Amino acid sequence: MTKDLAVAAQRLCKRYDDGKEALSGIDFAVKEGEIYGLLGANGAGKSTAVQILTTLLLPTAGSAKVFGHDVVRDQQAVRRAIGVALQDTGVDPLLTGFEALELQGRLYGVSQGGARQRARELSELLQLEEFARRRIANYSGGIRRRLDLAMGLVHRPRLLFLDEPTTGLDPLSRNAIWDFVRTVRKESGTTVFLTTQYLEEADSLCDRIAILRRGVVVAEDTPSRLKRHMRRDVIELEPEDPAQIDELLATVRRLHPDAMQEKEAVRAFVSHGADAARELLDAADRAEISLSGLRVSPPTLDDVFLEITREDDAQHLERGAN
């Protein structure tokens, strides 16, 4: 383990009393100063990992360190180094935002004057001045998430954990949170550990990501490298007559068995986009299916996620059959 790591996990495992294994021996390392994303669908183990790293949950096996401090043996040192914005926080809704920030600072041992000054700084940074004197009970979802982010930053942590920070937010509020996260990293050098199920979010924010599937890390790299590693294009065809979507899907699957329907279009991963487009146009013509659209594009992070998890599903089924 090198000294410049903010987080280092080795063979981290969490098994509950009912036998469910939320984490199955995962390994990952987060460099100091980076934005690191842990991706996965609901139930993949993202929140469990965050709870262990923030000392809220004990691991069953393996180890995890935050700036060299063990999350089991050195819990107080870990807690001093981190800020946390979980999905559900226990802030008193009768407080104003400013009161909540000031109280949070006092709980971390900041002087009354220092806590008040920090509350003003964070209100300005996260554009909360207009709402800081209102009761939290009256906040919208987007404003509440800004406050959660501010509360995690009150004591100037070296590492900030954000557990699905934009879940349920509208696109405008989501983009605002993304901008604030970038600003925090840029202005203070804070390391950010982010969990999300939004692939676009990870692609936009993260320096590196790990994809978690059934408690196992199935891929880890930068978003751009993961997309390049796929080495396949995405082709999308849309029938002029929506009633022919099933027939179009069957036609495409004869050439590309992994093709899938998405709303009123058919998508497939192909090795050579231009060649595949000509081939599929000929196939659709022979099947007397008129197309209203055909698009060839490089893969998105969503495509990478679908490809990796599909491969993982196939391997899981194969192991189950043996």
Side-chain angles (χ1 to χ4, degrees), residues 140-160:
S140 66
I143 300 303
R144 176 58 188 270
R145 293 308 283 162
R146 289 193 214 174
L147 178 64
D148 291 339
L149 182 54
M151 294 200 47
L153 293 167
V154 162
H155 58 300
R156 294 182 172 85
R158 297 173 65 189
L159 169 62
L160 177 64

Side-chain angles (χ1 to χ4, degrees), residues 280-305:
L280 286 171
L281 281 172
D282 290 340
D285 187 54
R286 288 194 299 270
E288 298 183 349
I289 301 172
S290 297
L291 300 177
S292 63
L294 185 149
R295 289 176 292 278
V296 179
S297 60
T300 65
L301 202 54
D302 295 68
D303 297 319
V304 174
F305 181 82

Side-chain angles (χ1 to χ4, degrees), residues 27-30 36-37 208-211 217-222 226 308:
D27 298 292
F28 59 85
V30 180
Y36 186 90
R208 289 188 304 130
I209 62 172
I211 297 177
V217 173
V218 293
E220 183 188 39
D221 212 326
T222 66
L226 283 171
I308 289 173

Side-chain angles (χ1 to χ4, degrees), residues 33-34 41 48 58 61 91 97 104 108 116 118 136 149 163 177 184 203-204 210 242-243 252 254 275 285 304 315 317:
E34 76 175 338
T48 298
L58 293 175
V91 181
Q104 183 84 339
Y108 271 102
R116 189 169 297 137
R118 184 60 171 159
I136 296 170
L149 182 54
D163 192 15
I177 294 294
V184 166
D203 203 359
S204 175
V252 175
R254 282 194 282 272
D275 293 340
D285 187 54
V304 174
Q315 292 168 3
L317 290 171

Side-chain angles (χ1 to χ4, degrees), residues 60-78:
T60 305
S63 66
K65 293 183 178 181
V66 173
F67 295 112
H69 303 293
D70 189 277
V71 298
V72 176
R73 296 191 299 271
D74 305 322
Q75 291 189 351
Q76 289 304 317
V78 171

Side-chain angles (χ1 to χ4, degrees), residues 72-127:
V72 176
R73 296 191 299 271
D74 305 322
Q75 291 189 351
Q76 289 304 317
V78 171
R79 291 170 184 170
R80 284 193 295 268
I82 66 174
V84 184
L86 300 178
Q87 294 181 53
D88 298 305
T89 53
V91 181
D92 187 343
L94 297 181
L95 293 175
T96 66
F98 194 89
E99 289 169 341
L101 290 170
E102 190 174 352
L103 176 60
Q104 183 84 339
R106 297 291 286 147
L107 290 173
Y108 271 102
V110 181
S111 68
Q112 184 173 0
R116 189 169 297 137
Q117 175 61 28
R118 184 60 171 159
R120 283 194 289 265
E121 291 172 358
L122 290 170
S123 295
E124 181 179 354
L125 173 67
L126 295 169
Q127 299 176 15

